Amino acid sequence: MVCCQMWDLHHLFKKHARDIRQALRRRGLPEETAADLTQDTFLRVLVSPPKASKSTYNPVGYLFRIARNLGTDYQRREGLLRRVDLSTEDFAAIADPSPSPEKQVYDRQKLLLTQQALDELPQRTRTAFEMHRMDEMTIAAIAAELDISTGRTWSLIREAYEYIDSRLRDI
């Protein structure tokens, strides 16, 4: 039988969470970190309850030991990390906004397929699409230019979008 089934974790949390958090604070942890590790302590017991043994008959001691171990692990990890304070401008200068080589290749392939799909469209459909998408003309202006109804203009543009989309789905 797992010993935690006998523990009232809700009661233990209400009664001892503040003490555990303060013990972590005394070990030099920031308030937020101590609060997070306190919750992690109880979560650890919920997710992975201890087997019945001599040491687990004292639930409060067991919880403090878990919290101490979590605090030690946190401090070790923090000790391994090197922190550098950077201003927003310095950080922006470091970040490379250019896309990765993989993204560049993918975008080129997509552009090539889009161009091929445009070339395969019927002339009037392609013209309506280019006027709408590239020349940013309104549907009414395109309809007047091509001497067709606005409904037919919408149909041509939608057909172009659907065809291009179908060609790009495989990439």
Side-chain angles (χ1 to χ4, degrees):
M1 175 166 132
V2 175
C3 69
C4 287
Q5 292 173 344
M6 298 182 292
W7 294 2
D8 181 358
L9 288 177
H10 178 72
H11 174 74
L12 287 169
F13 184 83
K14 283 174 57 175
K15 188 165 179 160
H16 300 287
R18 187 169 58 76
D19 295 335
I20 291 171
R21 188 180 71 247
Q22 287 175 343
L24 290 168
R25 291 281 291 135
R26 283 192 300 273
R27 294 182 61 116
L29 295 172
E31 179 64 36
E32 242 180 61
T33 303
D36 288 345
L37 291 178
T38 300
Q39 289 183 2
D40 288 349
T41 299
F42 285 89
L43 183 62
R44 174 139 327 160
V45 173
L46 279 172
V47 171
S48 181
K51 304 284 187 251
S53 72
K54 233 180 190 181
S55 67
T56 58
Y57 288 121
N58 179 359
V60 177
Y62 186 74
L63 290 169
F64 272 89
R65 185 169 37 138
I66 291 173
R68 185 181 63 243
N69 291 344
L70 288 173
T72 301
D73 291 346
Y74 175 82
Q75 288 173 322
R76 279 188 193 136
R77 276 193 311 274
E78 288 297 302
L80 295 174
L81 298 175
R82 199 177 105 216
R83 300 219 186 268
V84 177
D85 290 328
L86 294 176
S87 67
T88 306
E89 296 80 27
D90 290 339
F91 182 75
I94 292 173
D96 183 8
S98 64
S100 68
E102 296 84 6
K103 177 77 171 135
Q104 290 177 12
V105 169
Y106 173 79
D107 288 345
R108 284 187 191 121
Q109 290 173 340
K110 201 170 175 182
L111 187 60
L112 180 63
L113 282 175
T114 302
Q115 185 60 52
Q116 290 172 350
L118 279 172
D119 292 341
E120 295 166 2
L121 289 172
Q123 186 57 45
R124 189 163 63 166
T125 304
R126 179 183 175 160
T127 301
F129 177 81
E130 288 175 343
M131 293 170 99
H132 178 68
R133 185 72 180 154
M134 294 172 198
D135 298 336
E136 298 180 356
M137 292 176 65
T138 65
I139 299 300
I142 297 168
E145 181 78 25
L146 297 178
D147 196 28
I148 56 177
S149 70
T150 54
R152 181 66 184 135
T153 303
W154 267 117
S155 295
L156 292 174
I157 293 169
R158 187 184 70 247
E159 288 170 16
Y161 273 114
E162 288 172 353
Y163 184 75
I164 292 168
D165 185 51
S166 71
R167 289 291 309 276
L168 296 177
R169 264 189 217 125
D170 297 333
I171 188 170

